[in-house]
Amino acid sequence: MERILPLLVQLAVLAALALVGWLAAERIRVPAAAFLGPLMFVGASAILGMPQPDFPSWAVMGFQVVFGAFLGCQADRDSVKRVAALGRPVAVATVWVILSAFVIAFVLARMTTVDVTSSFLSAIPGGVAEMSAMSISMKANTPIVATLQSLRVIATMAIIPMVSKKLALPATAGAAIGGALSDPLPVWSLAAPATDVYLVDEVSTKRPAEGNSEVVGWLACLGVGLVGAAIFVYLRVPAAAIVGSMAAVVLCRVSGLGLVKPPPLLRLIALLGMGSYVGTGFSDQ
């Protein structure tokens, strides 16, 4: 009991820091706020010397299975057909991304003390949470991977909109003038608010509850992901938990099984948990 009580207090403090970090990151519109917010706040507490609880391995694996299941749910028969139809461009883009990541990782590893695995996971253009989850399975330096991936995302979000806006402005202005002269817009359309393209994916993934079939569908999805993760762990595949769960869900969805994407709340919990876990790995050294 004497050992359990301090652990519960540490977990409660960790959960509070994660929630506050998430809300603060959302407030200032940080990308991947549910992951980076807890990471920053928990990481700061670790750097300041606060005692950090030990995450159970089953919880970390659970977070990775959730990530893999969500990624796997992006695929279906139609998406496979679209990728197959664009085989050559997809192959060229894939080879280019992998080769460029290898080059950047080699330079980073030579110029710093970061190991090659951590350098590659830091250079590959993937999601911050997903790459951090993979780094855990591959025994890489997760704080370094999370930090460099976060810097990449923030820099991209800051630079790309400015560049694209300047490049698109002349063409947009010309098209707007030509359209106004040839086919004027009705008055009511000028007052209508523009659709926020950043919300399209968020809206499209939210479905109304469909009773027990909905729950059974996403529970089956998580079950399939867990089985795939267990198989890949047994085979000692790198990043087994997230890659195995994703591969299993993709295979089942392409085969026609009615797996349903888990509720967004579950992914939020996984992001908060993973961000907190990575944050506990930071130190002042």
Side-chain angles (χ1 to χ4, degrees), residues 79-96:
S79 63
V80 172
K81 292 178 180 178
R82 289 194 295 269
V83 171
L86 298 173
R88 184 173 297 178
V90 169
V92 171
T94 302
V95 172
W96 170 256

Side-chain angles (χ1 to χ4, degrees), residues 79-177:
S79 63
V80 172
K81 292 178 180 178
R82 289 194 295 269
V83 171
L86 298 173
R88 184 173 297 178
V90 169
V92 171
T94 302
V95 172
W96 170 256
V97 168
I98 294 176
L99 289 179
S100 60
F102 271 118
V103 172
I104 296 172
F106 175 77
V107 174
L108 181 62
R110 290 295 299 268
M111 296 180 63
T112 65
T113 58
V114 181
D115 60 278
V116 177
T117 303
S118 301
S119 299
F120 179 75
L121 293 175
S122 301
I124 198 78
V128 180
E130 287 76 7
M131 291 298 103
S132 300
M134 285 188 177
S135 70
I136 296 171
S137 300
M138 298 179 70
K139 308 298 182 183
N141 192 328
T142 303
I144 290 293
V145 173
T147 301
L148 293 179
Q149 283 286 347
S150 302
L151 293 175
R152 179 188 62 80
V153 171
I154 293 173
T156 302
M157 296 288 289
I159 296 173
I160 296 300
M162 293 187 297
V163 174
S164 60
K165 184 177 180 181
K166 289 185 178 181
L167 292 176
L169 186 59
T172 304
I177 295 174

Side-chain angles (χ1 to χ4, degrees), residues 31-39 60-68 70-71 121-122 124-137 142-143 145-153 239 241-243 266-279:
F35 176 80
L36 293 181
L39 184 150
V60 178
M61 183 174 180
F63 299 150
Q64 295 173 325
V65 169
V66 171
F67 288 149
F70 266 89
L71 291 173
L121 293 175
S122 301
I124 198 78
V128 180
E130 287 76 7
M131 291 298 103
S132 300
M134 285 188 177
S135 70
I136 296 171
S137 300
T142 303
V145 173
T147 301
L148 293 179
Q149 283 286 347
S150 302
L151 293 175
R152 179 188 62 80
V153 171
I242 186 170
V243 175
L266 193 61
R267 184 172 187 270
L268 174 62
I269 294 173
L271 286 170
L272 293 173
M274 186 59 70
S276 302
Y277 173 74
V278 175

Side-chain angles (χ1 to χ4, degrees), residues 2 8 14 16 27 42 66 85 130-131 146 153 158 175 181 201 208 212 215 230 241 248 268 283 285:
E2 294 179 356
L8 293 177
L14 189 75
R27 182 73 176 180
V42 175
V66 171
E130 287 76 7
M131 291 298 103
V153 171
L181 293 176
D201 183 65
N212 294 332
V215 177
L268 174 62
S283 66
Q285 299 178 354

